C-alpha cells in the first residue's frame, strides 16, 4: 500500500467557468432526450404494428399497404361506424385505397385505419 500511494500523482482541481458548466449541462440534457426519443419510437412502432394487424383482420386486406396520395381533412368528423376513421380538421391522412362509392380507405398519423368520405378531404 505504501508504494502505491507514493507513486500516485495528485492532479490539482481546476476551477471551471460557470458559463461552461451551464453549457455542459445543457449538452448532457440534449443527449438524454435523444435516448428517450429512441424508447418512444420503439413503442410507437409496436403500436403501429398492432394497428396494422387489427386493420388487416377488420378489413380483410391482404395486399401490400401502399400510400397512393396524401390528403388533408377539411373539417372534423366523428366516426359513425367502427370501420370509419374519426378525423380532425387539418389532419394529414395517407390514402391507401380508393374504394367504391364516396369513401376512401385512409391512415392517420397515429397509425389507425378507416374509411373517410371524399367530400371531407382536400387533395393536393
Amino acid at each position: 500500500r505504501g508504494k502505491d500511494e507514493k507513486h500516485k500523482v495528485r492532479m490539482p482541481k481546476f476551477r471551471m467557468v460557470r458559463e461552461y458548466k451551464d453549457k455542459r449541462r445543457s449538452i448532457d440534457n440534449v443527449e438524454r432526450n435523444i435516448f428517450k426519443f429512441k424508447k418512444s419510437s420503439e413503442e410507437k412502432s409496436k403500436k403501429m404494428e398492432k394497428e396494422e394487424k387489427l386493420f388487416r383482420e377488420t378489413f380483410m386486406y391482404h395486399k401490400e399497404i401502399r400510400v397512393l396520395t396524401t390528403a388533408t381533412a377539411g373539417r372534423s368528423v366523428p366516426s359513425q361506424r367502427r370501420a370509419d376513421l374519426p378525423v380532425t380538421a387539418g389532419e394529414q391522412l395517407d390514402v391507401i385505397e380508393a374504394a367504391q362509392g364516396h369513401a376512401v380507405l385512409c391512415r392517420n398519423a397515429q397509425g389507425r385505419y378507416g374509411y373517410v368520405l371524399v367530400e371531407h378531404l382536400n387533395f393536393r
Side-chain angles (χ1 to χ4, degrees), residues 52-69:
E52 183 178 331
K53 184 179 178 184
L54 183 68
F55 160 71
R56 289 188 182 278
E57 291 172 359
T58 305
F59 293 93
M60 291 180 274
Y61 195 85
H62 302 291
K63 297 183 269 182
E64 180 185 353
I65 297 174
R66 288 187 15 218
V67 178
L68 301 176
T69 186

Side-chain angles (χ1 to χ4, degrees), residues 55-120:
F55 160 71
R56 289 188 182 278
E57 291 172 359
T58 305
F59 293 93
M60 291 180 274
Y61 195 85
H62 302 291
K63 297 183 269 182
E64 180 185 353
I65 297 174
R66 288 187 15 218
V67 178
L68 301 176
T69 186
T70 315
T72 308
R75 61 182 185 193
S76 297
V77 180
S79 62
Q80 301 295 326
R81 306 174 294 163
R82 184 177 177 203
D84 292 338
L85 182 66
V87 178
T88 57
E91 185 178 11
Q92 291 279 348
L93 300 170
D94 296 331
V95 177
I96 304 298
E97 185 175 313
Q100 60 271 44
H102 300 285
V104 180
L105 190 57
C106 295
R107 175 178 61 197
N108 65 5
Q110 287 80 31
R112 294 193 61 205
Y113 295 84
Y115 288 111
V116 180
L117 294 176
V118 176
E119 56 204 43
H120 302 306

Side-chain angles (χ1 to χ4, degrees), residues 40-51:
S40 66
S41 66
E42 288 175 9
E43 291 171 0
K44 191 174 183 180
S45 66
K46 287 180 183 178
K47 187 176 180 183
M48 294 280 266
E49 289 175 9
K50 184 179 175 184
E51 289 288 341

